[in-house]
Amino acid sequence: MQVVSQARRLSRAFKSPILLNSDRFLAPDFRFLEAPLTSLQCPNHHSFSSLTPCFSGMMQTAQQPMYLMMSRASFASEASATERNPTEAVKELYDKMLDSVVVKRSMPPNAWLWSLLEICKNHDDIKLLFDILEKLRRFRLSNLRIHEDFNCNLCREIAKTCARVGALDYGKKALWKHNVYGLTPSIGSAHHLLLYAKNHNDAKLMVEIMKLLKRNDLPLQPGTADIVFSICYNTNNWELMSKYSKRFVKAGVKLRQTAFDVWMEFAAKIGDTETLWKIEKLRSESMKQHSLVTGFSCAKGFLLEHKPEDAAGIIQVLNQTLSDAKKSGIMAELQKLVNEWPLEVIKRQKEEDRKALATSLKSDIPAMVSGLLDMGLEVSVNVEDLTSKEGILY
């Protein structure tokens, strides 16, 4: 109202009629005007130069069509409805901690911070969490002369809380080695964010996190490879798998069996035998025996090279070396090799190479099954399923 009144006085001073509908600015339905009026308040209300931009902005708004104003008001109303405020419990605890630091000039109990982590439920809760972290860090530095960051366990829990709530923008801040929150970045914190990416099949988030790990000199671990390889496989991104596998190998990370399982299965799935045998060589340097997955991946590699006898031989080795509990999975893997893998690998080949591969698999897979029977394995696989698939024949 003050701005409107000033505008009217300005109008009379210049003796030019300016029509302003004050009801339009005060109507509750036009909430979008609240922000412009606030932002357009002038620092010096007695200065004409400071009033001019405010007056101009008001006139531009007043001259806009009614339907446009109504649509903007509706949009603003919907936006405000989707905003989330901090939960009451978080706000109360935040205020207590703030009072302790600012008013009482004393460090709040550690239990309060841990409790704050437990009760965070939305993005605004996390915003308050990081705000109090920054204040606590400044208080530790200026009043307690403590220069060390918070301990790693707390920092991992903060990253875990960010992932749980979905506040990934704040979670990524926990990975910076230079930050204003007193957080000590660690690969454990990164794993919580990577697990979020895995659960949501978010390869883009994974790439962002991996960049942060590199920029902040966080060491890669075997567990990191497990998560990253799974995301690449689940999102069907062989390019990223190739990129990050090289990075892990170059860093000297000792890959686990689970990582080799995913890596070799993916290579067999796309029909990249050259990479498959390189992975197998790397795997054999650290592990004596095959798992069910790596063994069948090698069997598929032999079939792609038209070596059904070798494929049967490695399955026979699995039958001899796997425990009884895992040995029961051989038939299931064999049936998948017949029913699912041929179509998958054929469709990933160049169009001019598909027919030749289909023809070879149509003869080599039955030959492998026959070889298994000759070796004494009780194989009950429906090889007819192979020839009934249109993708195998054409």
Side-chain angles (χ1 to χ4, degrees):
M1 286 299 297
Q2 186 178 5
V3 175
V4 175
S5 177
Q6 290 170 342
R8 283 175 171 161
R9 289 198 299 269
L10 187 62
S11 171
R12 288 195 295 270
F14 281 92
K15 297 181 180 181
S16 58
I18 300 175
L19 301 178
L20 289 178
N21 186 350
S22 61
D23 292 337
R24 178 180 298 177
F25 291 98
L26 298 177
D29 292 337
F30 298 104
R31 298 180 182 176
F32 76 97
L33 292 173
E34 295 174 5
L37 281 173
T38 302
S39 62
L40 288 171
Q41 286 182 351
C42 305
N44 184 359
H45 296 290
H46 301 288
S47 169
F48 174 76
S49 61
S50 62
L51 281 170
T52 302
C54 299
F55 178 76
S56 175
M58 290 164 56
M59 284 302 296
Q60 290 177 4
T61 303
Q63 292 173 358
Q64 292 184 11
M66 179 63 69
Y67 72 88
L68 182 58
M69 296 171 65
M70 293 180 65
S71 64
R72 289 185 178 179
S74 175
F75 176 80
S77 177
E78 292 177 2
S80 62
T82 58
E83 291 179 358
R84 290 185 176 181
N85 296 320
T87 56
E88 184 177 351
V90 168
K91 187 66 170 64
E92 289 180 359
L93 189 51
Y94 168 84
D95 289 340
K96 284 177 60 178
M97 298 177 72
L98 191 62
D99 179 72
S100 176
V101 171
V102 177
V103 179
K104 298 178 181 178
R105 308 301 294 171
S106 64
M107 194 71 180
N110 289 335
W112 289 6
L113 187 53
W114 286 96
S115 297
L116 188 61
L117 289 175
E118 294 176 359
I119 61 178
C120 283
K121 294 182 179 179
N122 61 43
H123 193 275
D124 285 338
D125 289 347
I126 299 296
K127 184 177 180 180
L128 288 184
L129 168 64
F130 273 72
D131 183 76
I132 200 65
L133 284 172
E134 184 175 358
K135 288 177 170 60
L136 289 175
R137 177 180 179 272
R138 287 204 302 263
F139 184 81
R140 281 157 56 96
L141 281 171
S142 60
N143 291 64
L144 305 180
R145 299 295 187 267
I146 299 176
H147 296 271
E148 294 80 9
D149 289 337
F150 295 109
N151 66 69
C152 292
N153 290 334
L154 177 64
C155 298
R156 282 195 295 269
E157 285 301 313
I158 290 171
K160 182 179 180 181
T161 301
C162 291
R164 172 173 59 80
V165 172
L168 304 175
D169 51 341
Y170 283 100
K172 286 184 282 189
K173 291 180 180 181
L175 301 182
W176 285 98
K177 59 184 176 181
H178 301 297
N179 61 80
V180 298
Y181 308 105
L183 299 178
T184 304
S186 68
I187 195 65
S189 297
H191 284 178
H192 288 300
L193 302 180
L194 284 172
L195 285 172
Y196 180 95
K198 177 182 176 181
N199 294 334
H200 292 79
N201 285 329
D202 193 339
K204 181 180 179 181
L205 175 60
M206 177 196 70
V207 171
E208 293 174 357
I209 296 170
M210 292 298 287
K211 287 181 180 178
L212 286 174
L213 297 185
K214 187 174 183 179
R215 290 173 185 171
N216 294 279
D217 303 319
L218 292 176
L220 300 175
Q221 293 183 353
T224 320
D226 286 343
I227 304 172
V228 169
F229 284 13
S230 294
I231 296 172
C232 293
Y233 183 87
N234 294 337
T235 57
N236 202 26
N237 197 322
W238 177 249
E239 183 178 355
L240 282 180
M241 175 73 89
S242 300
K243 173 183 176 180
Y244 289 123
S245 60
K246 292 176 182 177
R247 181 171 163 184
F248 282 107
V249 172
K250 185 178 180 179
V253 177
K254 187 177 180 180
L255 300 178
R256 298 170 179 167
Q257 182 67 64
T258 48
F260 281 114
D261 284 350
V262 176
W263 195 8
M264 292 182 68
E265 185 175 15
F266 205 167
K269 183 179 180 180
I270 66 171
D272 188 346
T273 54
E274 181 180 357
T275 301
L276 177 64
W277 299 130
K278 289 180 180 179
I279 305 171
E280 166 56 14
K281 183 178 183 298
L282 186 65
R283 184 207 64 80
S284 63
E285 292 173 355
S286 58
M287 301 170 188
K288 294 181 179 180
Q289 296 183 354
H290 273 292
S291 68
L292 187 64
V293 175
T294 60
F296 266 89
S297 296
C298 288
K300 294 170 184 176
F302 285 128
L303 288 172
L304 291 170
E305 295 179 345
H306 316 301
K307 300 175 181 179
E309 297 83 4
D310 291 339
I314 198 165
I315 295 175
Q316 168 69 352
V317 170
L318 288 176
N319 188 58
Q320 294 173 346
T321 57
L322 291 178
S323 63
D324 292 338
K326 295 182 179 180
K327 194 180 298 184
S328 60
I330 291 179
M331 288 302 110
E333 287 296 323
L334 192 57
Q335 194 67 60
K336 284 196 294 185
L337 185 151
V338 173
N339 292 341
E340 302 172 11
W341 173 69
L343 293 178
E344 186 69 41
V345 72
I346 287 172
K347 74 179 182 181
R348 291 174 177 273
Q349 308 309 305
K350 295 179 180 179
E351 188 172 355
E352 59 269 21
D353 298 331
R354 292 176 184 174
K355 187 172 182 179
L357 178 58
T359 301
S360 66
L361 292 178
K362 183 181 176 182
S363 59
D364 290 341
I365 292 179
M368 178 195 70
V369 173
S370 178
L372 291 173
L373 292 171
D374 293 341
M375 293 175 184
L377 267 71
E378 296 181 2
V379 179
S380 56
V381 177
N382 188 2
V383 183
E384 293 181 0
D385 289 347
L386 180 67
T387 58
S388 66
K389 304 290 185 182
E390 183 178 355
I392 294 296
L393 298 176
Y394 303 100

